[in-house]
């Protein structure tokens, strides 16, 4: 896009405060029509919310309410700046000066996105995942496109697709998978796509999109987003395939491409669950599973030009594989995958490092934030015994941190005595040559810092939270 964007951060609190009124939808009887972030185009007045095939989708994208909603979502999601350094806090100021130009460039199809900022993050199973962070203005445009395209495309997607769709999620996918297993489909065809988001063929994806959308302006802008360069280490790399993870539009485009797979599996009558690029097909025998794996791999590679990772894909009994961090048991119940438990422990180890230099209360708060969300996600898995063990391990990690904060023998002994430990036991433990970890597991440390002590500090008890979630 040709508009000049501000460099650095522009703090204008009075202007920012004024946005709250502008962002509210118009209310009859309360002052008529407000300006909003983006003025509503006259051409958008007759656009409808559910037209799957239309040549006027850009008018819907540019509606004031749609762009205001996109702005609110981008600000709520926060996120890092793109290549231009603009933060989400700067976005309002930029729009205030460029909204007409932004809208015009969208309506005439001339909008040109900036390169995405390349960032590599470690993958749970090893290796690295390439992320592409668009500028905040590009995120705003992508979000506005996403909201309109979702209304057009999502209703036609398969009922067996659960990832990144409104009203659907991982727990629904797991519930369906459990039903398949309970029906006797104890063999899973676990299809792993090799670097899926990096391998998406632009021509094939755009062909799928143009089947459902006839607005050439929208198609042109989506293509430019796909082809936007990747800026890494000061070098802009051209991209001829892939849809980088990090932009709002990528998950919808991934679902659109893989909808061909869903339709093919439905045509063949298979029982399957797909969450983004994670697809599990449930069959009754290994012979059938091997036949399905071969035919699905051929379909993906020949028709969609995607690569199946033969090393990670497998035909196996359901309890031998994991799905969305869980392990399905042969009777249809859920367990937690060992890798998920180890990743949780790695996160706890990182949070409770003894050399972090933060207070115990802050450390407990960080743990609570992670552990509460973690146990909520895995609440349907049979894992109470794991949580009992994990609760004790977390408390010992924190005891170790608290003892090291004493630093020397005398403060440690004084802490034990204040906690009700006898004088003799306090000094014997403090003077022992044991390291911090061994001291944290002694009866004296447990007496000084029992479970009730951590409860008073606010530490979440995983077993209690799990049982409360089970009772709902």
């Amino acid at each position: 896009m040709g508009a000049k964007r501000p460099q650095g951060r522009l703090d204008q609190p009075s202007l920012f405060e004024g946005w709250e009124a502008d962002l509210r939808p118009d209310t009859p009887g309360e002052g008529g029509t407000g300006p909003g972030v983006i003025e509503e185009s006259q051409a958008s007045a007759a656009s409808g919310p559910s037209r799957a095939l239309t040549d006027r989708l850009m008018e819907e994208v540019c509606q004031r309410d749609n762009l205001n909603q996109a702005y609110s979502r981008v600000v709520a999601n926060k996120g890092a700046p793109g290549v231009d350094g603009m933060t989400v806090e700067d976005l309002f100021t930029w729009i205030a000066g460029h909204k007409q130009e932004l809208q015009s460039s969208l309506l005439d199809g001339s909008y040109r996105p900036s390169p995405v900022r390349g960032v590599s993050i470690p993958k749970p199973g090893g290796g690295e995942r390439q992320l592409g962070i668009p500028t905040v203005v590009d995120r705003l445009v992508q979000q506005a496109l996403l909201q309109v395209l979702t209304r057009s495309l999502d209703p036609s997607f398969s009922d067996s697709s659960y990832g990144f769709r409104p009203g659907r999620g991982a727990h629904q996918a797991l519930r369906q998978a459990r039903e398949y297993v309970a029906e006797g489909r104890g063999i899973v065809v676990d299809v792993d796509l090799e670097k899926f988001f990096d391998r998406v063929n632009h021509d094939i994806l755009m062909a799928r999109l143009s089947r459902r959308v006839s607005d050439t302006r929208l198609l042109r802008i989506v293509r430019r987003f796909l082809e936007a360069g990747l800026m890494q280490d000061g070098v802009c790399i051209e991209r001829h395939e892939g849809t980088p993870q990090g932009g709002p539009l990528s998950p919808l485009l991934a679902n659109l491409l893989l909808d061909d797979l869903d339709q093919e599996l439905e045509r063949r009558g298979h029982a399957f669950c797909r969450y983004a690029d994670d697809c599990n097909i449930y069959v009754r025998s290994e012979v059938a599973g091997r036949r399905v794996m071969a035919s699905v791999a051929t379909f993906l590679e020949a028709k969609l030009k995607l690569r199946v990772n033969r090393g990670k894909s497998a035909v196996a009994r359901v309890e031998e594989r994991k799905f969305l961090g869980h392990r399905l048991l042969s009777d249809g119940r859920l367990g937690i995958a060992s890798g998920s438990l180890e990743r949780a422990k790695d996160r706890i180890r990182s949070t409770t490092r003894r050399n972090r230099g933060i207070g115990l209360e802050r450390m407990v708060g960080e743990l609570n934030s992670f552990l509460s969300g973690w146990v909520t996600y895995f609440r349907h898995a049979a894992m109470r015994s794991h949580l009992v063990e994990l609760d004790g391990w977390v408390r010992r990690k924190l005891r170790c941190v608290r003892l090291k904060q004493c630093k020397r023998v005398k403060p440690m002994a004084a802490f034990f005595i204040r906690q009700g430990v006898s004088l003799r036991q306090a000094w014997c433990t403090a003077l022992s040559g044991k390291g911090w970890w061994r001291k944290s597991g002694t009866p004296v440390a447990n007496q000084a810092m029992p479970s009730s002590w951590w409860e008073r500090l606010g530490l979440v008890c995983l077993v209690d939270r799990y049982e409360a979630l089970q009772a709902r």
Side-chain angles (χ1 to χ4, degrees):
M1 202 180 97
K4 184 179 179 181
R5 300 177 185 178
Q7 299 298 317
R9 179 171 177 172
L10 301 175
D11 290 320
Q12 297 188 27
S14 60
L15 180 61
F16 183 78
E17 289 169 4
W19 279 47
E20 294 181 357
D22 290 343
L23 285 171
R24 288 196 299 267
D26 301 327
T27 304
E30 295 186 4
T33 303
V37 178
I38 303 292
E39 298 292 346
E40 186 170 9
S41 167
Q42 292 180 351
S44 67
S47 58
S50 59
R51 294 154 64 191
L53 291 172
T54 179
D55 61 355
R56 296 181 65 80
L57 279 181
M58 286 309 300
E59 276 69 26
E60 292 189 45
V61 170
C62 291
Q63 282 185 357
R64 182 191 61 230
D65 289 346
N66 186 61
L67 286 168
N68 287 342
Q69 181 185 350
Y71 166 79
S72 298
R73 184 62 59 85
V74 169
V75 171
N77 290 343
K78 299 180 180 178
V83 294
D84 61 357
M86 188 191 300
T87 66
V88 291
E89 291 82 6
D90 300 327
L91 183 56
F92 174 78
T93 303
W94 186 89
I95 292 177
H98 299 89
K99 57 186 176 182
Q100 296 298 338
E101 185 179 354
L102 172 63
Q103 186 183 29
S104 297
S105 68
L106 292 173
L107 288 172
D108 65 18
S110 63
Y111 182 87
R112 291 190 175 276
S114 302
V116 297
R117 182 165 67 88
V119 177
S120 297
I121 62 172
K123 295 174 67 174
E128 290 189 336
R129 175 176 286 117
Q130 178 70 61
L131 299 184
I133 302 176
T135 65
V136 290
V137 176
D138 286 344
R139 295 207 292 270
L140 171 72
V141 174
Q142 284 198 36
Q143 183 64 38
L145 291 168
L146 171 68
Q147 290 162 184
V148 170
L149 285 174
T150 296
R151 292 196 295 268
S152 297
L153 302 179
D154 189 80
S156 67
F157 288 161
S158 169
D159 287 339
S160 296
S161 167
Y162 296 91
F164 306 107
R165 297 184 61 191
R168 291 172 165 262
H171 289 143
Q172 291 170 303
L174 289 164
R175 187 184 307 120
Q176 183 62 72
R178 292 171 66 182
E179 291 178 8
Y180 289 146
V181 175
E183 291 170 359
R185 296 179 173 88
I187 302 297
V188 61
V189 181
D190 188 352
V191 181
D192 184 272
L193 294 175
E194 183 179 317
K195 296 184 177 180
F196 168 72
F197 285 92
D198 298 333
R199 305 285 190 197
V200 170
N201 184 289
H202 292 172
D203 292 333
I204 293 176
L205 176 57
M206 291 306 301
R208 269 56 181 176
L209 185 58
S210 62
R211 288 177 185 171
R212 311 186 190 209
V213 172
S214 57
D215 192 325
T216 56
R217 299 164 299 174
L218 186 146
L219 295 171
R220 194 181 307 131
I221 291 172
V222 170
R223 181 97 193 198
R224 288 177 186 147
F225 273 117
L226 291 174
E227 295 176 346
L230 180 72
M231 184 72 75
Q232 198 160 21
D233 299 326
V235 177
C236 187
I237 304 169
E238 291 186 3
R239 292 190 299 118
H240 303 288
E241 64 177 3
T243 171
Q245 298 179 73
L249 202 53
S250 291
L252 177 66
L253 296 179
N255 276 332
L256 174 63
L257 181 64
L258 290 175
D259 188 55
D260 274 23
L261 172 63
D262 298 341
Q263 292 179 22
E264 180 67 15
L265 293 176
E266 287 178 348
R267 187 184 66 79
R268 299 180 187 182
H270 289 307
F272 71 98
C273 294
R274 183 178 64 78
Y275 192 95
D277 59 332
D278 195 351
C279 184
N280 279 6
I281 307 164
Y282 298 92
V283 297
R284 298 181 187 274
S285 70
E286 289 192 22
V287 172
R290 288 193 290 270
R291 184 173 64 249
V292 170
M293 174 66 82
S295 62
V296 167
T298 299
F299 175 85
L300 287 167
E301 294 176 347
K303 187 166 185 179
L304 299 183
K305 307 302 180 185
L306 298 171
R307 296 183 188 176
V308 174
N309 189 327
R310 260 68 177 187
K312 293 185 178 180
S313 300
V315 176
R317 300 201 61 80
V318 290
E319 58 265 31
E320 297 173 8
R321 306 294 292 180
K322 63 181 178 66
F323 182 47
L324 300 176
H326 292 72
R327 190 166 61 94
L328 272 78
L329 307 179
S330 56
D331 58 0
R333 291 182 301 122
L334 286 177
I336 183 170
S338 58
S340 300
L341 198 58
E342 284 305 312
R343 284 193 293 275
K345 289 183 175 180
D346 287 342
R347 177 71 175 267
I348 294 167
R349 288 186 186 100
S350 176
T351 304
T352 58
R353 290 196 319 272
R354 298 191 294 273
N355 60 355
R356 289 190 64 199
I358 65 172
L360 196 62
E361 292 78 9
R362 178 180 166 186
M363 190 174 287
V364 167
E366 291 181 8
L367 278 174
N368 284 346
S369 179
F370 166 69
L371 292 173
S372 296
W374 183 82
V375 76
T376 299
Y377 177 75
F378 287 103
R379 64 185 180 273
H380 298 303
M383 59 172 187
R384 191 181 187 282
S385 60
H386 291 301
L387 296 181
V388 171
E389 180 184 347
L390 198 58
D391 267 332
W393 185 69
V394 168
R395 287 193 294 269
R396 183 171 178 182
K397 295 286 288 182
L398 289 171
R399 288 189 191 107
C400 190
V401 171
R402 180 63 186 88
L403 292 181
K404 189 177 180 185
Q405 289 177 345
C406 294
K407 296 183 179 178
R408 292 181 296 276
V409 170
K410 187 174 180 180
M412 186 184 300
F415 169 72
F416 285 148
I417 293 168
R418 286 198 305 273
Q419 297 300 111
V421 177
S422 68
L423 184 68
R424 179 176 177 279
Q425 288 180 312
W427 279 102
C428 284
T429 302
L431 287 167
S432 72
K434 297 176 181 178
W436 302 112
W437 180 247
R438 291 186 64 193
K439 284 179 181 177
S440 68
T442 60
V444 166
N446 278 274
Q447 180 186 345
M449 294 172 280
S451 300
S452 58
W453 191 75
W454 293 109
E455 185 178 343
R456 289 193 296 274
L457 275 181
L459 179 66
V460 65
C461 175
L462 293 174
V463 172
D464 289 349
R465 183 165 180 81
Y466 176 73
E467 290 180 344
L469 290 167
Q470 294 288 304
R472 290 182 182 175

